[in-house]
């Protein structure tokens, strides 16, 4: 196992650079913490590099990870150095440096997909990915202006959902919507029908939009169905976008379930 | 309008102390930002004190607030001082210092309530409150060990839902459950039925539990209904607690709506 002792080490400098650009296109991504690293291995993938806190490599959870990795991929460093690469909120003694999987876009989508139209908050985006995976969605397409899907905060709140999805980002969703084989279903307050009065298609392209502005008009105008979720508007103006998405996706699941 | 110029001012010291203890029982709470302060006034309440950035009191949004306040409640201070009291993420030039409303507990609950059993993450708790209010829930009861309902992070993610709810916190939920007139409905994976196979009561006490451990066994054992939300378990282990709650509460709304 390689060992890095100093911040001056060229490999550490490289890691630090990657950490700062985490989530940007074509840059490696950093998975922080035992659960994410484990999930990555469970999906039959290897990291470029696995970095461990030198003082903790005897801990059972870390030993279990090390046992699954080729020795040449493993690096140890002092906890203080590792903390400089880690997310502030978790420090579990392990970080994987990985290449985010890239997927080709199929000519036609046969099954439901979810489109994220400029959703800003990384926590919302992460929870959305987790909800999509739970609802059986296989592909999520994200517009330019949406929080970077592979950024540390999105990774943290998605709890491993990234590995169960095919993710596409930095897209021009307006253009994509023009050529979609699936009906587009958008949530919006204006000129829309109540979700529970709507017979949802078995497969569709769901669009969920910006926290403040909602779905872009150029996409809305292409929607086959415009739906709203009836709620107590005297109490709160609107639902959180991740909550709205969950209610829609699970209602579709309910309508089309085989009981 | 009073003006504070220095950190040494006793009133500033007092405000700083309140800011650090925000959300603790019997301490005043701080509402940070225009939307929350506006909502407070919209609910026919006044703050103990309203603090403004002296350099911004000509801004239309702040003028609109000042117009609704008795002059003796208003204080100005330099932006640098105000920032020391504000949440890091928002700095809109206004903070209200308020007394969190307290409510008496009715002898019997007639309408659905939501019980929060040790939910840790303030973002989850805030989104839960927003979802409860949207679903038409009027009262939320929170166990000791749940994130403080009036803390700045919970306030931020609840987006004003606090003012549409009657909130009770620091409770012994096990004891409360023993004396409830409403049937208890808990979400859990073990020995539970599918939400969509369940005829939900029109009024019940929903229990949502700790992010990792779920609902406490002492409460689960008192539940009349134990339900799960069927999801793609190969993709993700579980749903976020706020998402699970939204799916349940809106399914109850769907089942009992007047169409």
């Amino acid at each position: 196992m390689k060992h890095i002792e100093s911040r001056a080490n060229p490999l550490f400098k490289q890691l630090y650079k990657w950490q700062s650009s985490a989530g940007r296109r074509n840059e490696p991504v950093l998975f922080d913490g035992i659960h994410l690293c484990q999930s990555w291995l469970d999906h039959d993938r290897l990291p470029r590099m696995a970095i461990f806190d030198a003082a903790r490599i005897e801990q059972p959870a870390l030993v279990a990870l090390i046992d699954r990795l080729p020795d040449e991929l493993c690096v140890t460093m002092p906890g203080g150095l590792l903390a400089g690469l880690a997310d502030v909120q978790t420090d579990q003694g392990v970080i994987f440096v990985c290449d985010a999987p890239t997927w080709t876009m199929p000519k036609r989508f046969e099954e439901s997909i979810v489109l994220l139209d400029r959703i800003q908050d990384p926590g919302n985006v992460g929870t959305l990915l987790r909800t999509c995976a739970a609802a059986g969605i296989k592909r999520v397409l994200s517009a330019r202006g949406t929080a970077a899907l592979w950024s540390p905060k999105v990774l943290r709140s998605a709890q491993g959902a990234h590995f169960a999805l095919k993710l596409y980002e930095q897209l021009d969703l307006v253009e994509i919507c023009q050529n979609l084989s699936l009906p587009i279903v958008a949530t919006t307050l204006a000129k829309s029908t109540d979700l529970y009065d709507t017979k949802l298609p078995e497969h569709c392209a769901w669009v969920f939009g910006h926290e403040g502005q909602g779905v872009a008009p150029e996409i809305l105008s292409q929607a086959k169905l415009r739906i709203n979720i009836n709620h107590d508007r005297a109490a709160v103006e609107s639902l959180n976008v991740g909550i709205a998405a969950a209610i829609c996706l699970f209602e579709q699941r309910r309508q089309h379930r085989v009981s």
Side-chain angles (χ1 to χ4, degrees), chain A:
Chain A
M1 226 184 268
K2 246 173 292 182
H3 181 72
I4 294 180
E5 191 54 47
S6 141
R7 277 173 216 281
N9 181 300
L11 178 55
F12 183 81
K13 285 185 181 170
Q14 177 63 65
L15 289 168
Y16 194 79
K17 221 185 106 204
W18 283 335
Q19 189 265 341
S20 341
S21 62
R24 283 213 212 118
R25 216 193 326 207
N26 301 326
E27 296 284 341
V29 293
L30 274 64
F31 299 153
D32 187 355
I34 291 161
H35 175 73
L36 276 179
C37 294
Q38 223 166 29
S39 297
W40 185 248
L41 298 177
D42 290 344
H43 283 79
D44 303 322
R45 296 187 180 267
L46 279 179
R48 262 195 207 196
M49 205 181 304
I51 316 166
F52 296 91
D53 176 350
R56 286 193 267 177
I57 50 169
E58 308 290 330
Q59 286 185 1
L62 300 188
V63 170
L65 287 174
I66 294 167
D67 282 349
R68 298 171 70 181
L69 291 164
D71 188 68
E72 66 271 20
L73 298 187
C74 297
V75 178
T76 56
M77 58 174 71
L81 251 64
L82 189 76
L85 301 174
D87 197 339
V88 278
Q89 295 193 23
T90 55
D91 170 24
Q92 304 184 335
V94 58
I95 291 174
F96 276 14
V97 180
C98 301
D99 294 300
T102 54
W103 307 97
T104 55
M105 194 82 86
K107 285 214 176 101
R108 284 176 61 86
F109 295 99
E110 308 290 340
E111 294 188 320
S112 283
I113 59 174
V114 166
L115 313 181
L116 305 181
D117 180 27
R118 298 162 300 130
I119 297 175
Q120 306 291 297
D121 180 76
N124 280 343
V125 171
T127 306
L128 264 160
L129 296 181
R130 184 172 168 192
T131 305
C132 286
I137 298 289
K138 304 288 183 225
R139 296 176 203 266
V140 176
L141 283 63
S142 144
R144 269 193 285 279
T146 302
L149 301 186
W150 294 91
S151 64
K153 279 186 183 172
V154 174
L155 279 161
R156 188 170 64 236
S157 51
Q159 297 265 321
H162 285 74
F163 311 143
L165 294 165
K166 293 184 179 166
L167 299 172
Y168 306 84
E169 61 181 328
Q170 294 285 343
L171 302 174
D172 180 341
L173 283 190
V174 177
E175 200 189 312
I176 284 175
C177 284
Q178 282 157 359
N179 301 301
L180 269 186
S181 47
L182 293 167
I184 296 168
V185 183
T187 49
T188 178
L189 292 178
K191 291 192 221 151
S192 52
T193 57
D194 187 323
L195 171 67
Y196 298 130
D197 289 329
T198 309
K199 194 169 159 13
L200 296 169
E202 187 172 354
H203 294 291
C204 67
W206 287 100
V207 197
F208 303 110
H210 185 280
E211 284 90 345
Q213 300 158 22
V215 175
E218 305 89 322
I219 297 176
L220 258 190
S221 64
Q222 301 185 62
K224 191 177 170 207
L225 291 174
R226 298 159 63 111
I227 57 171
N228 67 69
I229 299 165
N230 183 283
H231 74 272
D232 185 343
R233 280 184 201 159
V236 283
E237 275 174 48
S238 65
L239 288 161
N240 166 285
V241 60
I243 296 293
I247 294 170
C248 291
L249 294 173
F250 277 82
E251 172 61 10
Q252 184 182 33
R253 218 171 141 83
R254 184 190 70 81
Q255 289 188 14
H256 293 283
R257 79 200 183 112
V258 187
S259 45

